[in-house]
Amino acid sequence: MTSATRRNSSIELLRVISMLMIVGFHILRNPLAEALKAMPICIPEFILQNMFLNAGWIGNCIFFTISACFLAEREQTFKSCMRRAWLLEREVLFWSLTIFAFTIAAGLGDTYIGGVRGLLFGSILPLSTNLWWYPTSYVIFLLLMPFLQSGLKNLGKKEHGRLALLMLMLWGIGGLVYHVQFDITTASVFVFIYWYVLITYYKWYMSPFSTKRCWKMIGVGFAIDTLYWAGTNVMSLKGNHPTELQLFIFDNWKLPSMLIGFGIFLLCEKKSFHSAIINLVASATFGVYLIHYHPVVFSWWTGALHAQDLFAGNYAIGILKLCVMILIVFGACMLCDLCRQLIFRFTIDRHRGRLFDRIWALRHKLKDYKVLSALVLSLVLIVYASFAVTV
């Protein structure tokens, strides 16, 4: 493998760190929301809110930005995006069916809101049923990508800039006001479109930010978070802790998290090195997400780790326990996904994507029936992606 084809381990390491952030957020969010009602104003509280809770959304931003910047640098066709969605679906389907089998074997079916039948349906059609929000939204984003990218390029620099500014005003500046939502608080594909509009404007029309400017972005993001944390805590001294108000700036798609995440990504992008170990660990990060955030698995391990007891005693010890929990969850899920990769290597990845290429080629045989061929091809792709894992 030449150095030109190697993955930049600086970015791959950032991918690992962002997933650690996301795992930590998933461990912490619900217990912290309850603990804030009784937790005094102190440095550990600041660390938990500003460093761990906020880190989840920073991690989300980084994880998507890595993919979006790669996609923005190349012209995307409908075929290439469909192929990416196809390959991603194999991994999603593998884990949805594997975890379903584990759920039945362990007798955990009742922990899923829809029961065993609902989980079975969701496991067979994980993307269609939104079993995990991120892969569902990302696959829809991929299907829209070639049209979105073409439309943005046709807008040109001036109109693209106006669109980016409008989005920043609505969901960036406006999103800093408590209770202001503008229909973007839920996890959906529109969040990715929002970010992609901003990312592509930077990649296509702006000069690369200097290291100093990147650090300023990160500093501004943390400064806004810190001021908000201090202000809401001062307000809480007058009565009960307003939990929702305290968590507002650290939840969902807020501008400070985006500034921090994008600044960190740009800093890492400036560095380049290669480590086979880091790249191997990074290759399992999406699997870590799928495993640990599956509704049944998430319910099981959060109960088993007793994360709600983190704040029962010494806060410093609680933070140390939280770090250990993050490493345990990440490490266990990573090992599981590395085993999945090994299985794929000797089975369906021997001819990676070959069946997709064959099905796609069918459209040439139906060129006299363009509409019919498009409908048939789409149906075949959807059915295969939902029910088959073999190539």
Side-chain angles (χ1 to χ4, degrees):
M1 182 181 291
T2 64
S3 58
T5 60
R6 288 180 174 180
R7 288 180 176 269
N8 182 0
S9 295
S10 176
I11 298 298
E12 296 306 296
L13 178 60
L14 184 60
R15 196 190 302 272
V16 173
I17 293 173
S18 67
M19 188 51 62
L20 287 168
M21 291 176 170
I22 292 169
V23 172
F25 169 79
H26 289 156
I27 294 175
L28 184 63
R29 192 189 189 287
N30 291 334
L32 182 59
E34 292 298 320
L36 279 177
K37 297 176 181 178
M39 189 179 293
I41 302 175
C42 56
I43 296 300
E45 184 202 19
F46 173 79
I47 294 174
L48 288 169
Q49 284 191 240
N50 214 339
M51 303 302 292
F52 284 95
L53 195 62
N54 194 26
W57 300 103
I58 296 173
N60 273 321
C61 179
I62 292 173
F63 205 78
F64 177 75
T65 298
I66 293 172
S67 299
C69 285
F70 172 81
L71 294 170
E73 291 171 353
R74 296 165 174 80
E75 183 178 355
Q76 303 301 321
T77 65
F78 188 65
K79 178 183 177 180
S80 66
C81 290
M82 283 289 290
R83 198 173 193 276
R84 285 193 179 91
W86 176 286
L87 296 174
L88 181 143
E89 166 68 6
R90 301 179 314 159
E91 185 175 346
V92 173
L93 191 57
F94 175 89
W95 281 120
S96 67
L97 294 175
T98 300
I99 295 175
F100 174 76
F102 164 80
T103 300
I104 298 303
L108 298 174
D110 292 339
T111 62
Y112 186 70
I113 296 176
V116 175
R117 290 185 179 180
L119 182 60
L120 174 60
F121 186 72
S123 299
I124 295 174
L125 299 169
L127 296 182
S128 302
T129 58
N130 205 33
L131 190 63
W132 295 276
W133 82 266
Y134 190 98
T136 296
S137 298
Y138 186 69
V139 165
I140 296 174
F141 172 76
L142 285 176
L143 299 183
L144 300 176
M145 158 72 67
F147 312 105
L148 177 62
Q149 187 183 75
S150 178
L152 290 174
K153 285 187 175 180
N154 288 334
L155 281 177
K157 180 180 179 180
K158 185 176 180 180
E159 293 303 313
H160 191 162
R162 287 178 174 177
L163 176 61
L165 182 60
L166 174 63
M167 288 184 162
L168 275 176
M169 293 299 294
L170 284 175
W171 300 299
I173 305 302
L176 296 176
V177 181
Y178 188 50
H179 284 315
V180 170
Q181 300 179 0
F182 288 126
D183 200 30
I184 200 173
T185 56
T186 57
S188 72
V189 65
F190 195 77
V191 175
F192 292 162
I193 295 173
Y194 164 41
W195 285 351
Y196 190 70
V197 169
L198 302 180
I199 290 169
T200 49
Y201 185 80
Y202 169 80
K203 297 295 288 186
W204 295 347
Y205 301 117
M206 299 180 69
S207 300
F209 287 177
S210 65
T211 300
K212 183 178 181 180
R213 192 169 185 180
C214 293
W215 280 112
K216 284 183 177 180
M217 287 176 60
I218 297 170
V220 169
F222 275 117
I224 295 173
D225 283 336
T226 302
L227 289 173
Y228 186 93
W229 173 84
T232 53
N233 273 279
V234 169
M235 291 174 60
S236 71
L237 293 175
K238 299 179 180 180
N240 294 329
H241 283 248
T243 306
E244 291 184 3
L245 180 61
Q246 283 185 267
L247 296 179
F248 172 74
I249 198 69
F250 304 107
D251 209 353
N252 288 310
W253 327 103
K254 298 300 186 297
L255 183 60
S257 303
M258 292 168 56
L259 289 173
I260 296 168
F262 194 57
I264 293 173
F265 168 79
L266 294 179
L267 286 176
C268 291
E269 193 179 35
K270 296 177 183 295
K271 306 294 182 181
S272 182
F273 70 95
H274 177 75
S275 168
I277 295 177
I278 290 176
N279 290 358
L280 179 65
V281 174
S283 69
T285 50
F286 185 61
V288 170
Y289 172 85
L290 293 177
I291 299 168
H292 95 276
Y293 204 48
H294 185 282
V296 174
V297 177
F298 179 75
S299 175
W300 173 75
W301 68 257
T302 49
L305 291 178
H306 300 290
Q308 66 275 10
D309 297 334
L310 284 172
F311 314 104
N314 187 291
Y315 294 129
I317 298 297
I319 293 174
L320 180 61
K321 289 180 178 178
L322 174 62
C323 293
V324 173
M325 287 181 181
I326 294 171
L327 293 176
I328 289 174
V329 173
F330 182 92
C333 295
M334 179 193 71
L335 291 175
C336 290
D337 195 68
L338 290 177
C339 291
R340 190 272 311 165
Q341 290 183 33
L342 190 63
I343 294 171
F344 273 32
R345 182 178 303 172
F346 292 103
T347 54
I348 64 176
D349 275 350
R350 293 178 64 184
H351 304 286
R352 194 166 185 259
R354 184 174 66 178
L355 184 56
F356 173 85
D357 295 331
R358 288 179 175 177
I359 295 176
W360 187 266
L362 289 175
R363 71 190 185 98
H364 295 295
K365 297 180 180 180
L366 299 172
K367 60 183 178 180
D368 294 331
Y369 307 95
K370 292 183 179 180
V371 176
L372 177 62
S373 65
L375 291 174
V376 172
L377 178 59
S378 299
L379 180 61
V380 171
L381 292 176
I382 292 171
V383 171
Y384 175 82
S386 301
F387 291 98
V389 187
T390 57
V391 176

